[in-house]
Amino acid sequence: MRRFRQVDVFSDEPTLGNPVAVVIDGDGIDDAAMAAFSCWTNLSEVTFLLPPTDPAADYRVRIWCRDRELPFAGHPTLGSAHAWLDSGGVPRQPGQVVQECAAGLVPVRIGTGSELAFAAPPLIRSGPPSEEELARACAVLGLAREQVVDSQWIDNGPGWLGLWLGSAQEVLAVEPDYRAMAGMDLGIAGPWDPEEAAVRGADIEVRGLDGTVGEDPVTGSLNASLGQWLTGAGVLPASYVAAQGTVLGRRGRVRVDRVGDQVWVGGNTRSVLAGTLSLDGTIARS
């Protein structure tokens, strides 16, 4: 039997964020079993914690999205760090956990209460999309070309193409054609006006749209790369809050802070399920 947590990430209210399943004792599980368990949970991601191979890391994580492995993902990073700490992990450095993943070492700051924040990793693809790529994105989202204020490749692992729209209302109104989106990962965002932002506790609205799994409730990797792009371009201030998951009935809130060249992405985390599991499908909750 292996220790297990299901962690809700990016919400201060239980079950209104984005859940991630974390297998704390992940050593000795082969790729086929990891992929099968990830599919079985029906969650956007599942992580498996293992001993680190880098002496600077506190643990190593493998991140699975159904039947494919990701080099990095944001809400699984915070959920994994929470589960590791919640199960008795003690960081080498006070106030910070260092995660090893396929994308490298990712520092995770331990904040007050239940908040954690990860350091956004470098982009592996950036720059503007081609006109053909942008035209396809607009077509599958049902957007007119003039609704896109700006666009950039903001890929830090999952493959995001980012679109900045004129308003948060336009973001919420998008009705994607997921069949036509096959193979695309689109992140769309737009600003709330100051009065509405004060009511919602969020400066912008974000949606993460995946041609394989549909809409993600709250997406750390996307908010990280959006933050790198939009704060770097001066479109957004160095610190802001993003809302995500609204159209799904969630209340995700992501805090983004730029300190020099480093962007930090943070939010609340909490264990909702804790217990043990075996990969024959039997789960015992404690």
Side-chain angles (χ1 to χ4, degrees):
M1 302 296 285
R2 300 171 186 271
R3 291 174 298 166
F4 172 82
R5 297 286 190 279
Q6 189 157 311
V7 183
D8 197 31
V9 181
F10 290 130
S11 180
D12 55 6
E13 301 175 62
T15 74
L16 293 183
N18 197 2
V20 60
V22 184
V23 180
I24 296 161
D25 305 304
D27 208 13
I29 305 174
D30 64 26
D31 289 9
M34 288 185 180
F37 182 66
S38 179
C39 289
W40 179 80
T41 65
N42 205 32
L43 296 174
S44 57
E45 281 100 9
V46 173
T47 68
F48 299 83
L49 307 189
L50 304 103
T53 60
D54 189 311
D58 290 298
Y59 64 86
R60 181 164 63 97
V61 66
R62 296 185 65 182
I63 304 168
W64 286 81
C65 176
R66 308 295 171 90
D67 58 354
R68 65 183 172 123
E69 187 171 6
L70 300 176
F72 170 78
H75 99 275
T77 291
L78 295 189
S80 295
H82 173 96
W84 184 78
L85 291 166
D86 194 38
S87 62
V90 178
R92 298 168 190 265
Q93 304 176 50
Q96 177 174 278
V97 174
V98 178
Q99 172 181 282
E100 178 185 354
C101 60
L105 297 182
V106 179
V108 180
R109 294 191 308 197
I110 303 171
T112 57
S114 61
E115 184 166 322
L116 299 171
F118 67 84
L123 298 179
I124 59 177
R125 184 181 184 184
S126 58
S130 68
E131 281 303 318
E132 293 78 9
E133 291 167 332
L134 182 55
R136 183 188 173 201
C138 287
V140 301
L141 297 175
L143 292 171
R145 174 64 182 83
E146 56 268 23
Q147 289 180 268
V148 180
V149 177
D150 200 0
S151 58
Q152 285 281 315
W153 283 107
I154 50 172
D155 181 11
N156 53 15
W160 297 111
L161 171 60
L163 306 182
W164 180 247
L165 307 187
S167 71
Q169 289 88 344
E170 289 178 277
V171 171
L172 293 176
V174 166
E175 296 183 4
D177 180 350
Y178 287 110
R179 290 186 179 180
M181 199 190 293
M184 301 183 76
D185 295 290
L186 301 176
I188 56 176
W192 285 108
D193 64 63
E195 184 175 335
E196 189 67 23
V199 172
R200 292 175 176 267
D203 303 293
I204 69 170
E205 190 74 32
V206 172
R207 292 176 69 182
L209 308 171
D210 185 318
T212 302
V213 299
E215 182 157 359
D216 195 48
V218 201
T219 318
S221 63
L222 173 59
N223 278 285
S225 54
L226 282 171
Q228 289 167 313
W229 169 33
L230 296 170
T231 62
V235 175
L236 291 175
S239 295
Y240 66 88
V241 176
Q244 194 179 347
T246 304
V247 298
L248 301 176
R250 307 292 178 88
R251 194 181 182 280
R253 293 295 183 269
V254 183
R255 282 167 282 281
V256 178
D257 296 289
R258 187 181 192 101
V259 181
D261 292 332
Q262 181 61 63
V263 169
W264 292 87
V265 179
N268 290 308
T269 59
R270 72 173 69 209
S271 293
V272 176
L273 294 175
T276 58
L277 66 84
S278 66
L279 293 184
D280 63 4
T282 301
I283 296 182
R285 295 187 179 95
S286 59

